[in-house]
Amino acid sequence: MRSFSGPSVAGRKVLITGAARGIGAALARKLAARGAHVALLGLEPELLAEVAAECGDAPWRYCDVADRAQVERVVEALVAELGGLDVLVANAGIAKQMAMIGGDPSVLEETLAVNVLGVAYAVQAAGPHLARPGGYVLMMSSISTAVQLPLAGAYSASAAAVESLAGTLRCELRPTGARVGISYFAEIDTDMTSRGFGTAAAHTGLGETSLTGVSPIGPAVDALERAIARRRKSVVSPWWVSLVLPVRPLAQLLVQRLLGKRVARAIEIARTEDVPFTTTQPARPRRMERR
């Protein structure tokens, strides 16, 4: 009997941002094992070098995605080393709790700089190589576009912005034959999840466990590989996220009722709790001036 394996990532040239650990690193390993040629960028050189070695000595560079000039320079260098580009996975992202009233507004600035501007800069730098039949851009959003948790306003805003950027890019690239995908993940078992929810404020507001439970990283990475192979419009993990997205208002109302009065105490704690970003960030000039 003839076997039909379907589309494959073998031979594809893939650039992944935020590839030092978490989903980015796991995806790089998976794609390389399936025959793709990957290039990596991120903020942690030692970890990047380790991941690159596991991917057959893949090219890699240190890069702050919030620095447009740096992104342009690094992307061009990596594309040259790959000998072209078929796929961009704009994966780099950070998170940090912030109370909307009484919280540190610099958290919002930094989050948007990395999670939104960083995505836009990567797309602008890689776009000329991908605006053709076979080109594919995969942007990482979140279930937080459907359900906004307390203290996660900065991250939720960035995820919603990425979703909008993806929709716009999809329209603009359609005449070229390139495609755009967007991921909607719930809590995946990564450092970002454990660090982001491992605070006193989060434990107070959400209890000792998350609302949905933390899902293993393997199925999420498998879903990303399939999305890249087929150039899919969207990818979810776990599977039930696809049921939540169409009923966003109802999902938000349910979460508000489940959290109840615990939120007020969590906000009080967050206003004074000193926690780092989920990934340590380089010093950057402030983007907003205050009087």
Side-chain angles (χ1 to χ4, degrees):
M1 182 179 292
R2 187 176 178 182
S3 173
F4 295 91
S5 58
S8 168
V9 298
R12 305 233 191 146
K13 298 168 183 177
V14 185
L15 176 62
I16 305 173
T17 72
R21 51 192 168 91
I23 288 175
L27 178 62
R29 296 186 188 101
K30 180 80 171 185
L31 295 179
R34 292 289 190 267
H37 306 290
V38 300
L40 320 174
L41 61 85
L43 290 176
E44 298 160 298
E46 291 184 1
L47 294 178
L48 279 170
E50 291 177 9
V51 176
E54 294 170 353
C55 296
D57 293 324
W60 65 273
R61 293 287 192 286
Y62 170 93
C63 184
D64 175 10
V65 295
D67 183 329
R68 185 178 63 184
Q70 194 175 143
V71 172
E72 291 173 352
R73 182 173 66 252
V74 167
V75 167
E76 285 305 308
L78 290 174
V79 170
E81 290 193 46
L82 280 177
L85 189 65
D86 300 307
V87 180
L88 168 67
V89 181
N91 168 72
I94 58 174
K96 183 177 179 178
Q97 67 186 25
M98 182 196 74
M100 288 300 298
I101 299 175
D104 181 359
S106 69
V107 173
L108 178 60
E109 296 172 21
E110 289 287 286
T111 303
L112 295 180
V114 175
N115 297 8
V116 182
L117 294 180
V119 168
Y121 296 158
V123 167
Q124 289 178 327
H129 303 283
L130 299 172
R132 56 174 174 75
Y136 183 60
V137 178
L138 179 57
M139 299 186 186
M140 310 294 278
S141 186
S142 168
I143 194 176
S144 64
T145 60
V147 178
Q148 293 80 49
L149 294 177
L151 305 178
Y155 182 79
S156 296
S158 72
V162 168
E163 183 181 45
S164 295
L165 290 176
T168 299
L169 184 65
R170 185 175 290 128
C171 290
E172 294 180 359
L173 285 182
R174 185 175 182 181
T176 73
R179 295 182 183 177
V180 177
I182 185 165
S183 73
Y184 298 95
F185 289 171
E187 296 172 43
I188 305 298
D189 187 13
T190 63
D191 289 341
M192 185 174 187
T193 296
S194 61
R195 294 175 182 181
F197 287 95
T199 69
H203 285 305
T204 299
L206 300 176
E208 292 303 315
T209 59
S210 69
L211 291 174
T212 60
V214 177
S215 302
I217 193 172
V221 173
D222 291 344
L224 290 173
E225 182 204 354
R226 291 192 296 270
I228 292 169
R230 295 163 174 78
R231 298 196 301 151
R232 285 181 171 169
K233 184 176 180 179
S234 64
V235 52
V236 303
S237 187
W239 64 270
W240 53 259
V241 173
S242 62
L243 304 180
V244 176
L245 293 174
V247 291
R248 300 184 188 204
L250 292 177
Q252 181 66 27
L253 180 60
L254 176 61
V255 166
Q256 287 176 262
R257 291 187 175 180
L258 285 174
L259 295 178
K261 296 181 179 179
R262 291 179 291 176
V263 173
R265 177 55 182 156
I267 292 172
E268 289 180 13
I269 295 172
R271 285 173 179 154
T272 57
E273 186 179 16
D274 185 17
V275 298
F277 277 101
T278 49
T279 299
T280 302
Q281 297 298 293
R284 302 188 183 98
R286 297 298 294 274
R287 295 177 181 272
M288 299 181 184
E289 296 292 333
R290 295 192 186 85
R291 292 185 177 86

